[in-house]
Amino acid sequence: MAQTKFDKQVEKDAESLMFGIGRVLAGRDLDGVKRTDATFWRAGTRVLPKVEGKVRRRSYKPGWRRLSFRLALGAGVAETGYLSTRDLDATREALQELWENRETALAALEPGGIGAASVLTVGSAAYMVLTRERRELMREWVGPLHDALHRPLGLAEQTEPRRYLHIPKNFSDDDAEIRIDLPRQLGFSREVVADLITQKLALEGVSFSWYPEGRKPYVLVKKTRKPPAKAVFKDPKTRELVAKAKESAPIIGFGAGGRIISVDLDAESPHILVNAAPGGGKSVTLRCIACQMLHHGSHVFVLDTKRISHPWARGVDNVTYCADVADIHDQLVALGMEGRHRTRVADELGIGADPKAIGPRLLILLEEINATMKQLARYWEKTRESGDPKVSPAIDALNEILYMGRQLRMHVLLVAQSATARALGGPEVREQFSTRILARYSVNAWRMLAPEVHPAPKSTKHPGRAQVVIGGSAHETQVLFFTDAEAREWASTGAAATEPKHAGLPAQPSPAVLHNPAPPADSLADAWSDPALPPTAADPAPAADVDVLADAWNTKPPALAADPGNPVATPPTNLAPVDDDQAVGLREAHQHHLPDITVAALRYARANDRTFPKPVDRRGAELLYRSGDLKRWARNRPRATTGTTDLD
């Protein structure tokens, strides 16, 4: 008898059911498609060829685990169904009673529901925070590496990267290991795979150990040439290298294989930008560079709104430490004037002149630029008057120094937690820093400051480790560490301690007195001293009845005396003899009585300093003050620190 259509369908359904039961018991996908190389006892590592569509994570699990889950789920469903059908009448009555008392039940569940929602929210937030680094690792490193490797290794694109790419979160650390599982057939080029791994993970100085034998072939990647774990100045060999370093090229640290990492401020980069998160060693890096420059006779200006970033530098000869925003503002204005003066000096000296004839090297340490620029802007808003420019002259002076620093031997070491174009005053200002030191940086910070180096090296939390970007290349560097005592001792020795003290640079608005090294014999007329004067000897001790501070404010320095025979010398402001009882305005006081204090600083002091003199008269809208009171206030006002290392 011929088989009916219905019988054929029954047989087909029975066959499908048997196959389905077999797949369930075998722990395979229920649709019968084998997507990975997983077996009943072994987890899968790769997607099989010709598989299309997304491969879910469960397809990689071994069959016994999937079977266990299915049996547990089926047992739970069966138990629930059995309990619900055992006494239908009792179940119906319980549901009816629950419906009638639904308002009471909802009121009782409301506090628990709020608590459960709170727990769920807190748990989700904690999970997002704890897995942030892992998600960033997958997004920035593991995923792109898989996109580059799956074809050379002969793997399907749907293969889950974490199944064969075992990359730790700290893979850039010195002792980290990277393991990559390989296909069994080994039909790939080792050179191509190694090159792709090096490029996509931004690695340098690594070795590849291949293990092709056995059922699970793999390759291990380790660092071979790496920076030293520590670089300390007290090491005799390190101290010898620092002593031999060029005056214009202080040592920043040591790279892979102990190679010296430095930057020549004259030939490569006049300014240096340090960008790091808190704890990244910003102050340590600046201390390393500044004490070496001081050792060679440079003059250092520390502009530190934090006040405590460089305690080692307070009281060191040739150091001016400005911690108040008023002092920082005045010092930047004075440095801008100094830059313009040096421009005129260089123009007069002409081509081929000794660069040292322009003046001693000046190093400006500008701490925490993000906060300092805001404070300078607020300070100028409070002190400027009608007719003054809207932009702070201190910010303009800083920009001028950045644009013309190389030829004038003026260098800026700028520190920022986030060196955005807005914080620095524009993208064109940031481009003046061709050397950039980054530590504990984010991916966004790297893309902003070193986009030419791609991909970005993985940031490490190793103490003292940074990336020094010079000329489009990144060098992993262990920054040289000076203790405060070592930095102070090194800065106080060398050229700075042996050079004779002469009349200094043009007077600064702050009370700093900088000294210039002696000019070489038979050289061009020095811009910083009067050629008609004999070499100055050590200043004699002042007499007991002489008011040294008063004389300091009223006597013009001999180095600034006008000399018709010296076209480089700059005439000083005329300090006309005046009566101490004369009533003057602030601008007039700056011109004739207090040339070392800017009008902006006087206005700021009038608004914020309780010891500032009271006005004695008025000229229209302008307040007038007794000139003697202003000079007395100037002698007693707080000053920026300078001096010698003798603190006794």
Side-chain angles (χ1 to χ4, degrees):
M1 183 177 182
Q3 194 176 26
T4 65
K5 185 176 182 181
F6 175 76
D7 293 337
K8 292 181 180 179
Q9 185 64 37
V10 169
E11 289 184 4
K12 187 175 181 180
D13 292 343
E15 184 179 357
S16 300
L17 178 62
M18 294 300 297
F19 278 114
I21 294 175
R23 295 181 193 122
V24 169
L25 297 178
R28 296 173 56 186
D29 291 335
L30 296 181
D31 59 1
V33 178
K34 186 174 176 60
R35 292 176 170 82
T36 69
D37 60 344
T39 63
F40 187 80
W41 299 109
R42 180 175 57 83
T45 59
R46 61 186 179 87
V47 176
L48 297 178
K50 299 182 180 181
V51 173
E52 298 180 355
K54 184 177 180 180
V55 178
R56 299 188 179 276
R57 189 177 302 178
R58 60 174 176 264
S59 298
Y60 290 91
K61 294 181 180 180
W64 67 269
R65 289 189 59 182
R66 302 180 72 177
L67 175 61
S68 301
F69 175 78
R70 290 167 179 174
L71 292 178
L73 180 62
V77 172
E79 181 68 16
T80 303
Y82 171 74
L83 293 177
S84 63
T85 57
R86 189 172 183 181
D87 192 346
L88 296 178
D89 293 336
T91 302
R92 189 181 301 107
E93 291 177 1
L95 292 174
Q96 184 176 0
E97 183 178 358
L98 181 62
W99 174 255
E100 293 174 353
N101 300 311
R102 60 186 182 278
E103 295 183 359
T104 305
L106 290 174
L109 290 175
E110 185 175 357
I114 295 175
S118 301
V119 171
L120 181 62
T121 302
V122 172
S124 300
Y127 174 80
M128 295 297 291
V129 171
L130 294 175
T131 60
R132 180 181 60 83
E133 287 190 50
R134 187 67 187 176
R135 286 184 283 110
E136 181 179 332
L137 177 71
M138 294 296 297
R139 181 180 66 253
E140 299 292 339
W141 303 101
V142 179
L145 180 60
H146 164 71
D147 294 340
L149 280 182
H150 72 85
R151 280 195 177 89
L153 290 179
L155 302 176
E157 185 178 357
Q158 299 90 338
T159 301
E160 190 173 351
R162 71 178 68 188
R163 295 293 172 178
Y164 73 101
L165 299 177
H166 307 284
I167 303 175
K169 290 185 289 186
N170 62 336
F171 71 86
S172 63
D173 289 353
D174 295 341
D175 55 350
E177 287 188 359
I178 300 172
R179 192 184 96 236
I180 298 177
D181 295 334
L182 304 174
R184 296 183 187 180
Q185 66 272 20
L186 300 178
F188 56 86
S189 170
R190 292 188 179 185
E191 290 76 12
V192 172
V193 171
D195 187 55
L196 289 174
I197 295 172
T198 303
Q199 292 183 28
K200 298 304 291 184
L201 297 183
L203 301 173
E204 61 175 337
V206 294
S207 66
F208 291 83
S209 301
W210 302 87
Y211 298 91
E213 63 277 359
R215 189 165 55 91
K216 295 182 177 181
Y218 63 96
V219 58
L220 282 182
V221 185
K222 298 181 182 179
K223 279 191 177 181
T224 53
R225 296 183 296 108
K226 51 192 176 185
K230 294 189 299 182
V232 293
F233 178 69
K234 65 181 180 181
D235 185 357
K237 294 182 179 179
T238 302
R239 190 182 183 103
E240 183 179 354
L241 291 174
V242 172
K244 293 180 179 179
K246 291 173 57 178
E247 178 256 346
S248 62
I251 293 178
I252 299 175
F254 299 95
R259 182 167 58 94
I260 295 176
I261 302 296
S262 64
V263 56
D264 195 321
L265 298 176
D266 289 337
E268 294 178 334
S269 172
H271 312 297
I272 299 176
L273 171 63
V274 180
N275 187 96
K282 299 185 291 292
S283 297
V284 171
T285 305
L286 264 65
R287 182 170 66 209
C288 165
I289 298 174
C291 72
Q292 295 181 64
M293 302 291 288
L294 283 165
H295 181 81
H296 290 289
S298 299
H299 298 271
V300 174
F301 297 85
V302 182
L303 311 182
D304 178 23
T305 55
K306 289 172 59 177
R307 311 183 74 91
I308 56 174
S309 298
H310 301 280
W312 65 272
R314 291 186 179 271
V316 175
D317 212 11
N318 293 342
V319 172
T320 299
Y321 204 115
C322 300
D324 296 321
V325 65
D327 286 338
I328 294 174
H329 178 278
D330 293 352
Q331 192 63 74
L332 283 173
V333 172
L335 288 167
M337 296 170 60
E338 172 69 10
R340 291 189 287 273
H341 175 75
R342 291 190 173 205
T343 302
R344 294 193 298 270
V345 172
D347 185 40
E348 293 291 341
L349 292 176
I351 300 175
D354 183 3
K356 295 183 179 179
I358 297 176
R361 192 182 299 275
L362 303 184
L363 192 66
I364 304 166
L365 271 62
L366 192 55
E367 278 279 356
E368 300 299 344
I369 189 65
N370 300 86
T372 302
M373 296 293 269
K374 293 179 181 178
Q375 293 186 31
L376 287 172
R378 286 196 296 265
Y379 170 80
W380 183 243
E381 288 178 1
K382 292 181 179 179
T383 57
R384 80 182 188 93
E385 294 183 352
S386 178
D388 290 337
K390 292 185 178 181
V391 179
S392 168
I395 297 177
D396 282 341
L398 175 61
N399 291 341
E400 287 184 18
I401 295 169
L402 291 173
Y403 286 125
M404 61 185 180
R406 183 193 301 271
Q407 292 83 358
L408 306 183
R409 291 163 60 84
M410 299 177 70
H411 312 284
V412 176
L413 270 66
L414 187 143
V415 176
Q417 291 188 11
S418 180
T420 61
R422 180 180 179 183
L424 299 182
E428 66 279 359
V429 176
R430 192 169 59 195
E431 291 303 314
Q432 303 306 313
F433 297 93
S434 53
T435 295
R436 302 169 183 184
I437 303 175
L438 295 91
R440 297 194 181 181
Y441 48 85
S442 65
V443 175
N444 289 335
W446 186 273
R447 290 172 178 169
M448 176 177 61
L449 296 176
E452 68 276 14
V453 182
H454 183 76
K458 181 74 167 64
S459 179
T460 176
K461 295 182 180 179
H462 186 97
R465 192 63 58 83
Q467 293 284 346
V468 180
V469 181
I470 306 174
S473 300
H475 307 275
E476 188 176 10
T477 304
Q478 185 67 30
V479 176
L480 180 58
F481 178 77
F482 287 78
T483 64
D484 285 345
E486 290 169 347
R488 192 180 189 89
E489 177 266 335
W490 192 251
S492 305
T493 58
T498 58
E499 67 176 5
K501 306 301 179 184
H502 292 273
L505 294 167
Q508 309 289 342
S510 66
V513 179
L514 300 178
H515 303 289
N516 184 57
D522 301 327
S523 64
L524 294 172
D526 197 338
W528 313 114
S529 60
D530 189 339
L533 296 175
T536 58
D539 295 335
D545 58 345
V546 176
D547 189 350
V548 178
L549 289 176
D551 290 344
W553 291 105
N554 293 286
T555 304
K556 56 186 178 181
L560 296 180
D563 180 9
N566 183 7
V568 178
T570 304
T573 305
N574 293 327
L575 302 177
V578 291
D579 185 2
D580 282 351
D581 291 332
Q582 180 182 355
V584 295
L586 295 186
R587 191 175 297 276
E588 188 178 0
H590 162 67
Q591 293 174 351
H592 300 291
H593 301 272
L594 306 174
D596 293 330
I597 306 179
T598 62
V599 178
L602 291 171
R603 294 172 185 164
Y604 185 81
R606 178 178 63 186
N608 298 277
D609 190 349
R610 295 181 179 180
T611 65
F612 196 79
K614 301 297 182 184
V616 296
D617 201 353
R618 181 184 293 272
R619 183 192 299 148
E622 183 181 18
L623 297 175
L624 302 180
Y625 301 84
R626 187 176 288 108
S627 58
D629 293 344
L630 291 174
K631 288 192 286 187
R632 189 178 303 108
W633 167 83
R635 292 197 298 267
N636 298 321
R637 74 185 182 111
R639 313 292 179 82
T641 59
T642 186
T644 66
T645 56
D646 185 6
L647 302 178
D648 297 332

